[in-house]
Amino acid sequence: MENLFRAWREFKRGKTKKTDVAQFDFNLEDNIFKLHDDLARGVYAPRAYESFFVKDPKLRHIHKAHIRDRVLHQALFRVLYPIFDKHFIFDSYSSRVEKGTHAGVNRLESFLRKETNNWTQQVWCLKCDVRKFFDSVDHKILFNLISQKITDERTLKLIEMIIKSFEKSPCKGLPLGNVTSQLFSNIYLNEFDQFAKHELKTKYYARYCDDFVIVNQNREMFESFIPKIRQFLSEKLSLELHPNKIVLRKARQGIDFLGYVVLPHRKVLRTKTKRRMFKRISKDTKPEIIASYLGMLSHGKNERLAKQINLLC
């Protein structure tokens, strides 16, 4: 019961003005007690997802669970996260405490600086991502990975129910709207992280969700890596490298990663990100949005862009 109430407090942050959140909060104790009772009696069942599209910047198909189910997802996340997070590699940056996009970009910049001996030597960078990752996650593989660490039968039954509550194709897929999907994706791709570190023996490797980069001085080594990576993803995780997003280039040409381009001695905002940002800015733009843009620009050498934003506002 305590976990459910704490999960509710975490879940509702920044959402209190939403109608479904306000309605749930109005009868909070009754709603939490009923959820707890259903779980205790083993009669809990997830409700249907609400489906909609968002542009972020590309069109994404979001599936939002019922608010009652999302509170449960948050409660489950609170229990599972500390169990699994300690087994993840340091350089996994998506949906983790004290990680995120800026930490990932800074880490790549550090890799490049070290491997180039402060940009005095030539190195190569391989950047890839997984094709339709969330749609392709195999339910059986995911559940088997989770059951290696979780042995309680009732908890496993609940996890299996949540996994099976959504399918993009038979027995495959995770919904983009669930907090549990963020953790499940890291559990799933941790298998690849371990392969990259221990089998490929990559010293400079970082991943954010299904995007990953490897830095090395030896171009020929990368040419041997790609078929090995493709084979591991296919055979062990039932995943596929995106054929149009396998990029091997010299570090000095600039490495595009997580919204920034890392160049010698500096990193700048990606051109597409800049265009999208300026399209959204006007005199009527809310101060908190302007502050978030300026905060994003502060992570690179973008003083000129910051001045332009201030002039527009």
Side-chain angles (χ1 to χ4, degrees):
M1 188 75 78
E2 182 184 356
N3 186 33
L4 288 174
F5 275 107
R6 288 189 177 185
W8 166 252
R9 288 194 290 272
E10 290 177 4
F11 167 78
K12 74 172 183 176
R13 284 186 202 136
K15 305 184 186 79
T16 52
K17 292 182 181 179
K18 295 189 176 181
T19 303
D20 57 349
V21 176
Q23 289 173 345
F24 193 92
D25 200 24
F26 187 75
N27 295 303
L28 180 61
E29 290 191 357
D30 289 345
N31 288 325
I32 294 292
F33 291 156
K34 179 65 168 64
L35 175 57
H36 181 267
D37 184 59
D38 286 354
L39 290 166
R41 292 189 297 117
V43 298
Y44 166 82
R47 300 181 187 179
Y49 285 86
E50 178 188 344
S51 172
F52 57 94
F53 290 89
V54 297
K55 202 168 183 181
D56 181 36
K58 64 182 180 182
L59 201 64
R60 295 184 185 276
H61 196 183
I62 304 296
H63 292 83
K64 186 172 79 169
H66 188 275
I67 187 166
R68 178 174 182 262
D69 299 327
R70 284 185 283 158
V71 174
L72 174 61
H73 297 165
Q74 189 71 40
L76 187 63
F77 179 88
R78 295 185 76 254
V79 174
L80 296 183
Y81 179 86
I83 295 172
F84 285 95
D85 188 72
K86 62 188 177 184
H87 297 285
F88 297 157
I89 66 168
F90 180 86
D91 288 309
S92 164
Y93 288 92
S94 174
S95 306
R96 298 179 66 196
V97 176
E98 297 183 357
K99 300 290 182 176
T101 55
H102 298 309
V105 173
N106 290 341
R107 185 67 163 167
L108 173 59
E109 188 178 36
S110 171
F111 288 167
L112 292 169
R113 195 166 55 248
K114 288 176 183 176
E115 191 71 343
T116 60
N117 193 18
N118 201 27
W119 299 99
T120 60
Q121 299 174 17
Q122 178 173 286
V123 304
W124 294 82
C125 183
L126 175 67
K127 180 176 176 290
C128 307
D129 78 5
V130 177
R131 186 174 192 171
K132 295 184 177 179
F133 168 67
F134 280 93
D135 292 349
S136 304
V137 170
D138 185 284
H139 291 177
K140 184 177 179 181
I141 295 173
L142 173 61
F143 183 75
N144 287 341
L145 292 172
I146 292 171
S147 61
Q148 290 174 16
K149 300 284 189 297
I150 305 298
T151 56
D152 179 76
E153 289 299 326
R154 295 179 71 191
T155 306
L156 283 173
K157 184 179 178 181
L158 181 60
I159 291 169
E160 186 175 30
M161 189 184 299
I162 291 171
I163 292 172
K164 289 182 175 180
S165 68
F166 175 85
E167 285 185 331
K168 191 69 176 182
S169 59
C171 299
K172 286 193 174 187
L174 290 176
L176 285 174
N178 284 5
V179 67
T180 47
S181 296
Q182 300 169 9
L183 177 60
F184 290 165
S185 67
N186 275 335
I187 293 170
Y188 205 83
L189 285 174
N190 181 57
E191 297 301 297
F192 178 69
D193 295 341
Q194 301 298 335
F195 169 76
K197 296 300 289 184
H198 301 297
E199 299 297 324
L200 297 181
K201 301 190 183 302
T202 56
K203 183 177 180 181
Y204 298 121
Y205 163 89
R207 179 182 62 81
Y208 185 96
C209 196
D210 60 337
D211 290 349
F212 62 90
V213 291
I214 305 172
V215 176
N216 198 288
Q217 291 185 355
N218 190 337
R219 190 184 193 281
E220 288 71 29
M221 185 176 290
F222 282 127
E223 291 174 354
S224 71
F225 278 179
I226 294 171
K228 291 176 182 177
I229 290 170
R230 187 178 281 118
Q231 182 180 6
F232 179 88
L233 289 174
S234 175
E235 292 181 359
K236 301 295 184 181
L237 298 175
S238 191
L239 298 174
E240 178 187 355
L241 274 184
H242 198 303
N244 300 326
K245 294 184 179 179
I246 301 172
V247 179
L248 178 58
R249 62 188 301 163
K250 297 174 184 175
R252 284 189 167 275
Q253 294 175 287
I255 307 303
D256 187 335
F257 188 54
L258 304 181
Y260 292 84
V261 179
V262 181
L263 293 157
H265 306 295
R266 65 194 176 109
K267 57 181 181 288
V268 296
L269 211 58
R270 181 192 289 159
T271 302
K272 285 184 180 178
T273 308
K274 284 187 284 189
R275 287 176 183 160
R276 187 167 70 250
M277 183 173 63
F278 279 104
K279 274 184 182 179
R280 294 177 178 176
I281 292 174
S282 69
K283 293 287 185 184
D284 300 322
T285 305
K286 292 180 180 178
E288 56 267 28
I289 295 175
I290 299 298
S292 71
Y293 285 147
L294 292 174
M296 184 168 59
L297 292 172
S298 71
H299 290 272
K301 293 191 175 182
N302 299 293
E303 294 84 358
R304 182 177 58 82
L305 292 176
K307 286 180 182 177
Q308 286 180 258
I309 289 177
N310 285 322
L311 287 172
L312 286 171
C313 301

